[in-house]
Amino acid sequence: MTHLNTSARGAATGSGDRSRPRAALPALCLTQITSWGIVYYAFPVLNAEITHATGWPAGATTAAFSLALVLSALAGIRVGRILDRHGPRAVMTTGSLLGTVSLLLVAAAPNLPVFFAGWALAGLAMATTFYQPAFAALTRWWAPDHIRALTIVTLAGGLASTVFAPLTALLAEHLSWRHTYLVLAGLLAVLTIPTHALALRAPWPPAPPNHADGTTPVARSRSFWLLAAAFTLSAFAMYAVVVALVPLLLERGYSTAQAAWVLGLGGAGQTLGRTLYAALARRTTATRRTTVLITLGGITTIAFAVTPGPYVLLIAVSVAAGMVRGNLTLLQATAVTDRWGHTHYGRLSGLLAAPATTAAALAPFVGAALAPLLGGYPHLFGLLATTSLLAALIATCSDPAGVRRGRGLSPS
């Protein structure tokens, strides 16, 4: 049986209203804004100054940051298992400590090897503080109303760049990049370590029983890996589009400021899109909305490829693309529970996210390399649109139909 009814799920998880830790939701909103804003979004703001001050190649410093993303994807699999068994408090508190130490190491790095080591440690911090552990906590504590809680946290997380990119830039105007990272490390420690330690103390509810009848492990099933393939191709296309959007617009004659506004308003679209996901989830099956959202991602990418202007139309396309990206975040957060329940959410979501996160980390490099080979950024966007449409086609085949017909999948 794929889905449990609402009352059964609430009972199974032990996460009814009375047992939900009231402080956890606002705490996770705060820590997601802070962790994403400092560990992730500060780097693009500071990278130019880092390369200027140190003489290190921009490709090398960016590779160190990408290493963090790849390691976070790989570590996320093991982190998911720990979350399923023990809950988020120790994981996320430790992650905040690791994040603080990693930024101190980055700030003090005398050479590239130490810089890489700092970002490798940051990758472990990402795996233990970003969306995956927060989603696992809210899915177990808030079920069956977890979509509302997930939406609130992702709305908050969407503000990370809005808050910390300007703050980082302001600090960099008065401090060196090293001292800026020292200040940010202090903020990360003060805002996230005690918050995770104190607000996530509620008892971890037991996992609901597995209601599947069959013997095919979910993690090795055809439907699981088709879904993982669809998410991986979609993530690659989506992140390549985000990074390549400014070069596309510059190639078409727009100014840097105009291109930045188009990109920034796409972020506003993300926030708007996430407010619509709950209504979409009520009206569609998991496979249907996966296919529709990934297809819409391809369509907005095509629109960028074939729309040279006017400028206001490009803004509209960017907002629409941002709305799709915002929904895709929540789509991936609920993919496991929608199909296989809550029992092994942490482990299965870690496995599902690992290849997609790796693809997202590699997308900027691959996109930048392909653009000149293809004859420019419009042709790159055409290829990325095709990639999204291929992902949507794969998603249509990922429906775990055997589960709905009673041939259940075991979660092992």
Side-chain angles (χ1 to χ4, degrees):
M1 183 181 300
T2 306
H3 301 287
L4 305 176
N5 62 54
T6 299
S7 60
R9 283 195 303 194
T13 60
S15 54
D17 289 341
R18 291 183 180 179
S19 62
R20 290 175 184 166
R22 294 183 179 180
L25 186 55
L28 288 172
C29 288
L30 171 66
T31 61
Q32 288 301 300
I33 292 173
T34 307
S35 298
W36 277 97
I38 291 176
V39 181
Y40 187 93
Y41 285 108
F43 175 77
V45 177
L46 294 174
N47 192 34
E49 185 178 343
I50 292 172
T51 57
H52 176 74
T54 61
W56 300 336
T61 56
T62 304
F65 183 69
S66 292
L67 173 66
L69 297 175
V70 172
L71 290 178
S72 75
L74 298 177
I77 299 171
R78 178 60 181 166
V79 168
R81 290 179 180 270
I82 298 171
L83 287 165
D84 282 335
R85 294 174 184 172
H86 304 292
R89 185 190 183 197
V91 169
M92 299 191 78
T93 303
T94 302
S96 293
L97 285 165
L98 290 175
T100 301
V101 173
S102 72
L103 294 184
L104 294 175
L105 189 58
V106 166
N111 51 46
L112 274 173
V114 177
F115 190 77
F116 268 78
W119 281 110
L121 190 61
L124 300 180
M126 293 176 182
T128 48
T129 58
F130 279 11
Y131 279 144
Q132 183 185 335
F135 287 166
L138 296 175
T139 297
R140 183 76 67 88
W141 272 325
W142 257 258
D145 193 29
H146 55 285
I147 290 179
R148 183 182 71 87
L150 295 174
T151 301
I152 291 170
V153 165
T154 55
L155 287 173
L159 298 174
S161 61
T162 305
V163 174
F164 280 96
L167 175 60
T168 301
L170 179 63
L171 289 171
E173 288 180 4
H174 303 282
L175 303 171
S176 69
W177 71 270
R178 295 182 187 276
H179 287 101
T180 297
Y181 262 131
L182 289 176
V183 172
L184 292 175
L187 283 174
L188 184 70
V190 169
L191 294 177
T192 65
I193 294 173
T195 303
H196 286 148
L198 297 175
L200 304 180
R201 292 184 299 173
W204 189 234
N210 175 37
H211 287 253
D213 312 317
T215 59
T216 304
V218 168
R220 285 181 280 171
S221 66
R222 175 178 177 272
S223 59
F224 184 88
W225 287 108
L226 284 173
L227 184 63
F231 281 163
T232 299
L233 290 172
S234 174
F236 174 83
M238 180 174 68
Y239 281 91
V241 165
V242 169
V243 174
L245 182 56
V246 170
L248 172 74
L249 297 178
L250 294 176
E251 188 174 283
R252 285 175 166 165
Y254 292 96
S255 69
T256 301
Q258 287 175 314
W261 272 106
V262 172
L263 180 62
L265 289 172
Q270 264 183 224
T271 301
L272 175 61
R274 287 168 180 166
T275 65
L276 306 176
Y277 184 78
L280 179 65
R282 287 194 297 269
R283 291 170 172 79
T284 58
T285 65
T287 301
R288 176 70 59 82
R289 64 178 167 273
T290 301
T291 304
V292 168
L293 287 171
I294 294 177
T295 299
L296 289 174
I299 291 172
T300 57
T301 303
I302 291 172
F304 278 127
V306 301
T307 307
Y311 184 67
V312 66
L313 183 57
L314 289 169
I315 289 176
V317 173
S318 183
V319 171
M323 292 176 68
V324 174
R325 291 198 304 273
N327 276 280
L328 284 170
T329 301
L330 287 167
L331 178 77
Q332 294 183 38
T334 57
V336 170
T337 51
D338 286 343
R339 292 166 175 82
W340 300 288
H342 303 77
T343 306
H344 292 269
Y345 177 88
R347 185 174 70 87
L348 293 177
S349 63
L351 286 169
L352 197 62
T357 304
T358 302
L362 298 176
F365 292 99
V366 177
L370 285 176
L373 297 177
L374 295 171
Y377 281 92
H379 293 93
L380 173 64
F381 273 63
L383 177 62
L384 295 174
T386 302
T387 302
S388 287
L389 296 178
L390 175 61
L393 180 62
I394 294 172
T396 63
C397 305
S398 68
D399 187 25
V403 176
R404 280 203 284 273
R405 289 197 297 267
R407 301 198 307 273
L409 302 171
S410 71
S412 60

